[in-house]
């Protein structure tokens, strides 16, 4: 009886066999899985096949030893049975495994209250001639397969599991899972959903180089419009991946003009990047829609500019009939040419832009990029060519902050004085003070902040200085700067940020005092938006202290639903990192937005996976709330092995 108990555990690493059986139990129908291509001796697939045979013989032995079901003799010859069709194999083994499950249930009832004998992973791995980590990974992936089959969108989750098998070079199992996913991606009576789902499966097939399977999957879509829609999606994706042969083959099967034009745009863009200008332009001439044609010429121009073929890029632009698209494309080419070192050439292209506002915007972006690269003099030269006051002010602001970032405070202040718009100039000074404080010069940063006329901007500057000083360990400067803040909302936020910094530095008592001070400051506010912002920050700060009770109370008081949902997501991840799983999950399910809730659940699963030992992951996964979470968790742990 102990043999049957151990065998039940051994069935898990059989991987794809277990997935097929789950599919049959769930009504997925007979799923055909290819197990007939055994590799040469010494490969990983051979090991898997040996495990498969061992499992079958063990099942056969247990079934034959039972007198309750003497008719179950489907496993008379394992070698012969392996040559039969996958569906036949599954049907034959299903009856045996059902019988084994009944025996196990009876055994569990008999052994109730007795100490159960545990078999180590290492011993089980040795039984199947596998390394312990390979056995453990297989067990986790097999569990993920089961969860994927039970999920709301099994095809989507099977793609993830398949990718993990592929990453581990188990290509046959990865392919089998994609074939299963392809069948489950078909929704009878819902062609649009089928088209979208099958297209995703086909992308995964192409990513794993299963082109023949991908073509068959597309052809299996019965409704022509849905089939061509899926073909268009996949062909465009393949083209942008540089797989032009695949894209051309799919495009040749599309008959609807508008659908085909979309694919031709992607092909033209890819040909411009991977092949040559002439071929790309030839493809673009086949596009019938004028809007899509303009889009194709724009993409060709950008791709040729990316490889520094500016002559071809400008020729492609000359074919664009829409002035707005033409000007925008010229602006992008100009920036690329300037980045390549030909600044005058780039500026020359900008002079060809008809829209003066767009030309100024291009000059601003170019000046920003030069400032980031440390080319301050050149950046300033570009700003002198900007006519619009707003664009010039924003360009000089970025230049000012960039110079302050390298310690050139005096140069930064000179640039700030040249900013024509007062509001942007004061914002720039606030940023300069923050950067200077981060460099360890809190005193000089406060001198800059004093020159800011706006109470609001000055208060923000002081908050940034106080936070930076605390992070640098200069708590005296942080405290002194905090006293200068006279805006309650900024002071409350500053107290929260100081509390989090102090908490991270190990002074929990002081951090709590600062948080309580932030709460008192928040009571003076009347703006619901300011109050929500402070509550959101305080909630995360309390969560970092592992005080989930106060965190949850604060978040539930937030009036703005968007802010509340975002805070719950941040709270969930923080609590998960602190191993407070129950509160983390409560935060997840408090989110009203479905996409945000899904994202939060994934983040919790990934955070938990980093702290759980692989040996305990299988049992731990069953405590998670949703199938999707369990799959994400299991795959994340499997990647660590």
């Amino acid at each position: 009886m102990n043999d049957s108990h151990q065998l039940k555990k051994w069935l898990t690493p059989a991987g794809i066999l277990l997935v097929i059986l789950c599919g049959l139990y769930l009504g997925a129908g007979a799923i055909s899985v290819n197990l007939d291509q055994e590799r040469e001796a010494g490969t990983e697939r051979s090991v898997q096949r040996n495990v498969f045979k061992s499992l079958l013989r063990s099942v056969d032995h247990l079934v034959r030893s039972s007198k309750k079901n003497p008719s179950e003799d489907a496993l008379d010859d394992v070698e012969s049975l392996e040559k039969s069709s996958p569906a036949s194999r599954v049907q034959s083994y299903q009856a045996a495994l059902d019988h084994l499950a009944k025996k196990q249930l009876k055994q569990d009832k008999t052994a109730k209250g007795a100490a159960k004998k545990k078999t180590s992973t290492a011993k089980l791995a040795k039984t199947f001639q596998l390394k312990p980590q390979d056995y453990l990974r297989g067990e986790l992936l097999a569990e993920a397969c089961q969860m994927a089959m039970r999920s709301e969108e099994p095809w989507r989750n099977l793609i993830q599991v398949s990718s993990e098998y592929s990453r581990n070079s188990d290509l046959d199992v990865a392919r089998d899972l994609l074939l299963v996913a392809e069948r489950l991606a078909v929704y009878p009576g819902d062609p649009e959903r089928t088209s979208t789902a099958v297209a995703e499966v086909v992308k995964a097939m192409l990513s794993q180089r299963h082109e023949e399977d991908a073509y068959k999957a597309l052809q299996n879509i019965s409704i022509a419009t849905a089939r061509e829609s899926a073909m268009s999606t996949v062909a465009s994706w393949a083209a942008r991946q540089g797989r032009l042969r695949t894209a051309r083959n799919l495009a040749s099967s599309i008959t609807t003009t508008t659908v085909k034009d979309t694919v031709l745009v992607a092909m033209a863009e890819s040909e411009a990047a991977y092949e040559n200008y002439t071929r790309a332009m030839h493809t673009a001439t086949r596009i019938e829609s004028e809007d899509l044609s303009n889009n194709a010429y724009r993409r060709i121009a950008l791709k040729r500019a990316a490889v520094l073929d500016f002559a071809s890029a400008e020729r492609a632009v000359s074919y664009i009939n829409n002035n707005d698209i033409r000007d925008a494309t010229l602006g992008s080419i100009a920036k690329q040419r300037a980045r390549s070192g030909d600044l005058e050439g780039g500026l020359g292209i900008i002079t060809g832009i008809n829209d003066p506002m767009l030309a100024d915007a291009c000059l601003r972006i170019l000046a920003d990029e030069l400032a980031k690269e440390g080319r301050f003099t050149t950046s300033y030269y570009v700003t002198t060519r900007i006519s619009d006051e707003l664009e010039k002010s924003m360009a000089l602001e970025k230049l000012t902050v960039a110079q302050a970032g390298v310690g050139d405070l005096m140069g930064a202040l000179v640039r700030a004085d040249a900013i024509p718009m007062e509001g942007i100039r004061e914002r720039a000074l606030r940023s300069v003070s923050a950067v200077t404080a981060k460099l360890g010069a809190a005193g000089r940063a406060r001198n800059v902040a004093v020159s800011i006329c706006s109470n609001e901007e000055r208060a923000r500057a002081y908050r940034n200085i106080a936070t930076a000083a605390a992070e640098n360990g200069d708590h005296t400067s942080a405290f002194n700067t905090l006293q200068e803040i006279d805006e309650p909302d900024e002071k409350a936020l500053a107290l929260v940020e100081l509390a989090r910094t102090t908490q991270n530095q190990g002074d929990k008592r002081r951090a709590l005092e600062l948080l309580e001070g932030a709460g008192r400051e928040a009571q003076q506010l009347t703006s619901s938006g300011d109050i929500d912002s402070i509550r959101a920050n305080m909630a995360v700060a309390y969560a970092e202290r592992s005080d989930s009770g106060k965190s949850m109370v604060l978040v539930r008081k937030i009036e703005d639903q968007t802010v509340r949902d975002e805070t719950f997501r941040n709270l969930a991840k923080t609590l998960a990192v602190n191993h407070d799983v129950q509160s983390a999950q409560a935060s997840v399910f408090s989110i009203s937005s479905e996409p945000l809730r899904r994202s939060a659940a994934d983040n919790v699963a990934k955070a938990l996976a980093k702290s759980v030992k692989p040996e305990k992951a299988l049992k731990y996964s069953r405590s998670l709330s949703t199938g999707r979470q369990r799959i994400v968790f299991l795959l994340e742990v499997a990647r660590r092995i």
Side-chain angles (χ1 to χ4, degrees), residues 466-541:
T467 303
E471 289 174 350
N472 291 333
D474 187 357
H475 294 285
T476 300
S477 293
F479 179 78
N480 291 337
T481 305
L482 188 64
Q483 307 313 308
E484 302 289 342
I485 303 175
D486 51 15
E487 296 287 333
D489 58 336
E490 291 297 330
K491 191 164 188 174
L493 288 172
L495 286 166
V496 175
E497 291 174 5
L498 289 176
R500 296 179 68 180
T501 301
T502 307
Q503 171 79 18
N504 293 335
Q505 293 172 348
D507 191 346
K508 296 183 179 180
R509 182 176 178 180
R510 177 60 178 160
L512 181 58
E513 291 174 355
L514 291 167
L515 278 175
E516 290 173 346
R520 288 191 293 272
E521 289 292 333
Q523 291 175 2
Q524 303 179 36
L525 301 175
T526 56
S527 168
S528 60
D530 291 340
I531 295 172
D532 283 351
S533 177
I534 292 166
R535 283 173 175 165
N537 283 276
M538 288 181 66
V540 176

Side-chain angles (χ1 to χ4, degrees), residues 9 65 86 96 174 267 289 338 433 514 527 555 586:
K9 293 183 179 179
S65 66
M267 287 173 56
S289 166
S433 67
L514 291 167
S527 168
V555 181

Side-chain angles (χ1 to χ4, degrees), residues 129-145:
Q129 303 174 20
L130 294 171
K131 294 178 181 178
Q133 62 267 31
D134 292 338
Y135 175 88
L136 185 57
R137 185 188 299 110
E139 191 174 35
L140 295 177
L141 291 178
E143 179 78 3
C145 285

Side-chain angles (χ1 to χ4, degrees), residues 151-171:
S151 64
E152 185 177 346
E153 291 183 318
W155 58 270
R156 189 186 299 279
N157 292 318
L158 283 174
I159 289 173
Q160 294 184 40
V161 180
S162 172
S163 297
E164 188 59 25
Y165 273 110
S166 179
R167 192 180 70 85
N168 288 304
S169 301
D170 201 343
L171 305 181

Side-chain angles (χ1 to χ4, degrees), residues 204-444:
M205 289 176 170
L206 291 173
S207 296
Q208 295 182 24
R209 304 291 175 181
H210 303 308
E211 294 194 7
E212 185 177 344
D213 292 335
Y215 294 144
K216 288 180 180 178
L218 289 170
Q219 295 302 326
N220 285 339
I221 301 176
S222 58
I223 300 176
T225 54
R227 181 170 60 252
E228 292 207 343
S229 176
M231 284 183 174
S232 172
T233 300
V234 174
S236 299
W237 173 85
R240 295 190 175 104
Q241 295 289 315
R243 305 176 67 173
L244 285 161
R245 182 177 64 83
T246 300
R248 288 173 186 137
N249 287 341
L250 290 170
S252 65
S253 302
I254 297 173
T255 58
T256 307
T257 302
T258 54
V259 176
K260 191 165 190 172
D261 281 353
T262 303
V263 178
L264 291 174
V265 171
M267 287 173 56
E269 179 183 19
S270 189
E271 287 166 346
Y274 296 103
E275 294 185 352
N276 56 66
Y277 169 79
T278 304
R279 184 151 197 172
M281 292 297 287
H282 174 70
T283 300
T285 60
R286 297 165 55 194
I287 300 173
E288 296 187 17
S289 166
E290 184 176 358
D291 289 342
L292 291 176
S293 177
N294 287 331
N295 188 19
Y297 290 127
R298 180 181 70 85
R299 291 174 180 272
I300 292 170
L302 296 178
K303 289 298 181 181
R304 295 316 300 171
V307 296
L308 308 184
D309 181 7
F310 298 110
S312 295
E314 291 189 62
R315 283 202 303 273
V317 170
S318 67
Y319 285 85
I320 299 175
N321 295 325
N322 183 292
N323 287 332
D324 291 340
I325 296 175
R326 174 185 169 279
D327 284 349
T329 308
L330 282 174
S332 299
I333 296 172
K335 287 179 285 186
Q336 184 64 44
R337 189 158 188 170
R339 290 189 200 109
S340 70
D342 184 5
L343 178 61
E344 291 301 327
L347 294 176
I349 294 175
I350 290 177
T351 60
I353 297 176
N354 296 322
D355 184 347
M357 291 297 295
L358 182 58
D360 282 344
C362 291
L363 289 169
R364 173 181 56 81
I365 294 170
L366 182 55
D368 293 349
E369 292 179 354
L370 291 168
K372 288 178 183 177
E373 294 172 4
R375 298 165 65 182
F376 303 130
T377 303
T378 307
S379 176
Y380 181 71
Y381 167 68
V382 173
T383 65
T384 62
R385 304 186 59 154
I386 301 175
S387 302
D388 182 71
E389 197 173 71
L390 175 61
E391 295 288 353
K392 177 175 284 191
S393 295
M394 290 192 293
L396 286 169
E397 178 188 15
K398 291 293 180 67
L399 175 58
T400 298
V401 177
Q403 284 197 241
V406 297
D408 184 7
L409 179 58
M410 295 306 297
L413 294 176
V414 170
R415 300 301 186 201
D417 285 340
I419 298 175
M421 298 184 70
E422 183 181 359
I424 295 178
R425 182 169 62 252
E426 297 217 324
R427 188 174 67 190
L429 289 172
R430 186 241 301 173
S431 299
V432 167
S433 67
V435 169
T436 304
K438 287 180 180 178
L439 294 175
R444 299 177 72 189

Side-chain angles (χ1 to χ4, degrees), residues 1-11 53-76 78 93 95-105 107 128:
M1 301 295 275
N2 285 333
D3 289 341
S4 63
H5 177 66
Q6 292 182 7
L7 180 59
K8 189 176 182 181
K9 293 183 179 179
W10 296 344
L11 292 173
K53 294 177 183 178
S54 176
L55 285 169
L56 296 184
R57 290 192 174 99
S58 298
V59 174
D60 182 37
H61 171 74
L62 287 170
V63 172
R64 290 177 183 282
S65 66
S66 171
K67 295 181 180 180
K68 291 187 176 182
N69 242 327
S71 61
E72 293 184 21
D73 56 354
L75 306 178
D76 282 336
V78 171
Y93 300 137
L97 293 173
D98 281 346
H99 176 66
L100 179 60
K102 292 176 183 178
K103 280 188 71 176
Q104 182 61 42
L105 181 62
Q107 175 189 327
F128 291 110

